[in-house]
Amino acid sequence: MDEGTVTGGAGGGARRAELAANLADVRKRIEAACAAAGRDAAEVTLVAVTKTFPASDVRLLAGLGLTQVAENRDQEAAPKAAATADLPLTWHFVGQLQSNKARSVAAYADVVQSVDRPKLVSALSSAAVRAGRTLRCLIQVSLEEPGESGGPEGRGGVSPSGAVALADTVAGAGGLVLGGVMAVAPLGADPAPAFARLAEVAAAVRAAHPEATDVSAGMSGDLEQAIACGATHVRVGTALLGGRRAIVG
């Protein structure tokens, strides 16, 4: 594979330079946050959230060495994954997932970070077995306090008290591997207490399933707080790619 194939070819030079600068800045933030927390930066995986951005940006990021990519809408993710199938990417699905979309997502996703109910576990398991694939699944935990809204994006998630039981269900399902937990900090609140709650849930899940070591938490605005609370994966969109564009087809 030549460099033009990876990076999107001629004409992408300015965008590549922009993404390279943004990536360097994000990596510096991760390194600084890890140093402050007494952690090794190699413990934290950066996942690029490429929603609303074109496949050409995915190619540019891959050319810069960033091959962990996340999407939150199947109708955008499926064609983007198909358009970049020649690249060594790991695709993460991070949005709320309807059970009837499980078969489509199981065809391209390597990791589903938003598993929040037994019905979805069953659908993903059936789809993975049918496709002959293994999906790494993270339990999405709701960090909203009682009475709080999930926000405009309709953030899902199992209650902290239900996380271990759902993890048990994933661990026992064919075609699925339990990876750990994921969460989004509540809107308009200090993310640190929420991420501390997630760390407690993650510890409880690991106590039952020692292999479930992933803690996906933190985005562009709060990755430092997430890393301080033990995040192993941060999901970054805006800080890498810029402001959201119109939804691509």
Side-chain angles (χ1 to χ4, degrees):
M1 183 185 310
D2 63 35
E3 185 177 358
T5 301
V6 173
T7 61
R15 180 59 170 162
R16 186 182 189 281
E18 179 185 7
L19 292 177
N22 291 346
L23 177 58
D25 287 343
V26 171
R27 291 204 183 282
K28 286 178 183 177
R29 288 177 60 189
I30 291 172
E31 289 168 3
C34 286
R39 299 180 60 193
D40 184 343
E43 297 175 6
V44 178
T45 297
L46 174 59
V47 181
V49 181
T50 57
K51 64 181 183 180
T52 79
F53 289 91
S56 58
D57 278 353
V58 176
R59 289 189 172 277
L60 290 169
L61 288 170
L64 293 167
L66 184 53
T67 56
Q68 303 278 336
V69 184
E71 292 286 335
N72 71 336
R73 298 169 67 249
D74 175 61
Q75 58 266 47
E76 180 181 351
K80 199 178 294 185
T84 56
D86 57 302
L87 299 178
L89 303 174
T90 298
W91 284 96
H92 298 249
F93 191 87
V94 299
Q96 280 196 287
L97 179 57
Q98 296 176 340
S99 297
N100 63 6
K101 293 286 189 180
R103 187 170 184 176
S104 176
V105 169
Y108 59 83
D110 302 289
V111 184
V112 178
Q113 295 201 15
S114 48
V115 176
D116 60 359
R117 59 197 187 280
K119 182 180 179 181
L120 180 57
V121 174
S122 178
L124 286 170
S125 174
S126 296
V129 170
R130 185 182 301 115
R133 303 189 71 230
T134 299
L135 302 181
R136 188 172 184 86
C137 292
L138 275 58
I139 304 302
Q140 182 173 356
V141 180
S142 174
L143 298 179
E144 304 289 344
E145 294 289 354
E148 286 184 334
S149 165
E153 295 182 6
R155 292 165 174 168
V158 67
S159 68
S161 62
V164 173
L166 187 57
D168 292 343
T169 302
V170 171
L176 307 183
V177 171
L178 177 64
V181 299
M182 180 273 263
V184 179
L187 292 169
D190 180 358
F195 290 146
R197 289 200 300 275
L198 181 64
E200 294 174 355
V201 176
V205 170
R206 282 197 305 274
H209 302 279
E211 74 282 3
T213 56
D214 295 353
V215 181
S216 177
M219 300 189 291
S220 293
D222 56 17
L223 66 86
E224 286 85 0
Q225 293 91 332
I227 289 171
C229 291
T232 64
H233 292 67
V234 292
R235 310 177 305 273
V236 179
T238 302
L240 275 175
L241 291 136
R244 296 292 172 213
R245 300 180 179 181
I247 299 294
V248 298

